[in-house]
Amino acid sequence: IISMISPIYEKIGRKGKIHTSGLVPVYPLTEGVTQKQVRFLIRQSLEFLNELEEILPTHIKERQKLLDLDQAISNIHFPQSKEYLHRARARLAFDELFILQLKSGIIKKERESSQAQAIAFKEKDTREFVDSLPFQLTEDQKKSAWRILKDMEEAKPMARLLNGDVGSGKTVVAAIAMLNTALNGLQSALMAPTEILARQHYGSIKKLLGSFPIRIALLSSSTRALNTDDKIGKAKLFEMIANGEVDIVIGTHALVSEKLKFEKLGLAVIDEQHRFGVAQRKALIEKSGNPGTVPHLLSMTATPIPRSLALTLFGDLDISVISQMPSGRKPIITKLVFDSGRQKVYDFVREQIASGRQAFVICPLIEESDTLGVKSAESEYKLLNENIFKDIPMAMLHGKMKPKEKEEIMKGFLENKHKILVSTSVVEVGVDVPNATIMMIEGSERFGLAQLHQFRGRVGRGDLQSYCVMFTGSNSPDTLKRLKIMENTRDGFKLAQMDLELRGSGEIYGTRQKGFPEMKIATLWDLELMRNAKVEADKLINTDPEFKSALILKEEVDRSLKEIHLE
């Protein structure tokens, strides 16, 4: 008997076929909604594309050989051909990059016409601080700190990106800048993307600057603290910051709250700057408290972005790079392991934990997915907790948990109450647990090289030998080649460049680089589009700063500058 299983069919209507002809879009769905329903509704909405206003000036479209906006949106959903699909993606990605570059250019122009408080270099105190450190600064750390301090001595506001690999010691460089700011009678603010990272910075900065009479506060949506007072009221803390009674404020997006006022903000530090948009940087910079001045800006990122790409992507910032690792750090031993070698890894983990160490287990998903066939944090936690390591205390962490719950779990792991932490990529950035020596990554083929390197950087934070194990069930030669690169390469900048070579410039169906909230379609790998967008943005700002030839574009940029997207 000949039969068809789950056939897809449609009646041929006067408007042609939607579901069974040509390149057919596949959309993310929710319960109770089908692909046919979504396609039908989107196809109907595309009939109104003629009412869409074009934002790009004609001469830019012609120079860059870009589709019209209505053509691009039509072809991103129902492409005439593969060529038109890629042209549609290029047009929409260019728009995102162009607006990003325009915003950066406008802010840079505003900053160049602004004044900042000159922060004098306190050489004696800085030398005393550096000499008190339990480790020696690397040459890159010294050069970066010196460049930052020299920038801050100027009345022109500094805008510098400190780009350093995971574990390279960017925090101590920021501490030197904040120390000098406080000794000049001015305030500093350090904004981090997550509460876990903000709390960690709060503990680190307090410890680093403990010998100086500096008042340090922690501020997030759910937590407030001031030096030894962990229960200070929100109103009281806001009042003290507004009166200049707090020298350094460390927090999350709460720092850009309209209700928070600084008396004299001299320095704004943004950690993991790629997680924040231009708008957040602008909002924090505008909190100076000194009429007619803006604070100096220091942005930091551990995402390994090659210098040439960083200069293009963050056109409003000067760049400093820390490429050396602190002395005493041992290279992390990295191994690619198939299921056949899993038991040996589990035995090794048990040995490490018996000697007092801790381990991370990273999973690509929170919950199980029948379609993807990869491990989830929930199922892996259940397996390890009930079968493999049932006598070992462990915990689970993922992004759907409430901030308080995440904080308690991370606190327990930091205090060595949990020996194993099963987590999603929420631990990718910033978390520092010196006692953790093993990083196990499930479904490692699901992550890019740069992200795998970020995970690996969560261990090896002290002087103990650390290990990274990448589990994979893939037999794809390309995948195995990519993962083998991780085994043999430690340099995050080189890994980012290799990732770029292996991935190419990105595809409509590719995996987007994590962490750039302002870009929905463009990726880090769209180098040519990025450069072209920067050239066009610079040209427009220099020749038509009022955007008189592009009023609709001006409205879009103004709207985008006003928005502050909170993750």
Side-chain angles (χ1 to χ4, degrees), residues 132-295:
S132 72
L133 294 171
F135 51 83
Q136 193 169 1
L137 294 180
T138 64
E139 284 304 309
D140 281 355
Q141 284 175 312
K142 290 175 185 176
K143 286 176 186 174
S144 296
W146 178 248
R147 185 65 266 169
I148 289 163
L149 293 172
K150 297 307 288 181
D151 283 356
M152 285 167 40
E153 282 187 313
E154 302 293 327
K156 172 189 171 185
M158 172 183 74
R160 185 164 288 277
L161 176 67
L162 183 59
N163 189 357
D165 210 344
V166 283
S168 61
K170 297 180 296 298
T171 304
V172 71
V173 174
I176 291 171
M178 291 189 283
L179 169 64
N180 276 267
T181 304
L183 294 174
N184 276 267
L186 298 171
Q187 295 168 297
S188 297
L190 191 161
M191 187 163 73
T194 66
E195 188 153 345
I196 291 172
L197 189 50
R199 179 170 281 278
Q200 184 173 289
H201 276 314
Y202 175 64
S204 299
I205 299 296
K206 273 204 310 179
K207 188 176 178 182
L208 284 168
L209 301 180
S211 61
F212 293 88
I214 291 175
R215 297 154 298 183
I216 304 169
L218 172 66
L219 176 63
S220 71
S221 56
S222 62
T223 310
R224 285 162 296 281
L226 178 62
N227 284 30
T228 56
D229 184 358
D230 288 337
K231 294 182 179 177
I232 188 168
K234 183 177 180 180
K236 176 64 176 172
L237 183 56
F238 273 42
E239 181 187 339
M240 292 180 73
I241 293 169
N243 292 337
E245 297 172 54
V246 178
D247 301 302
I248 297 171
V249 186
I250 298 167
T252 56
H253 310 92
L255 293 181
V256 295
S257 162
E258 287 184 13
K259 294 178 182 176
L260 180 63
K261 308 292 181 189
F262 288 85
E263 187 196 45
K264 43 193 176 182
L265 183 62
L267 173 66
V269 182
I270 298 179
D271 193 20
E272 288 311 321
Q273 99 95 37
H274 67 281
R275 293 294 181 94
F276 299 104
V278 175
Q280 283 99 336
R281 297 213 300 269
K282 190 175 194 303
L284 188 56
I285 289 169
E286 287 173 348
K287 286 186 168 289
S288 163
N290 296 304
T293 68
V294 298

Side-chain angles (χ1 to χ4, degrees), residues 18 29 45 138 144 161 168 278 299 337 349 378 407 412 479 565:
I18 299 175
L29 298 177
S45 67
T138 64
S144 296
L161 176 67
S168 61
V278 175
S299 292
V337 177
V349 169
E378 288 182 348
E407 184 187 319
T479 298
H565 301 291

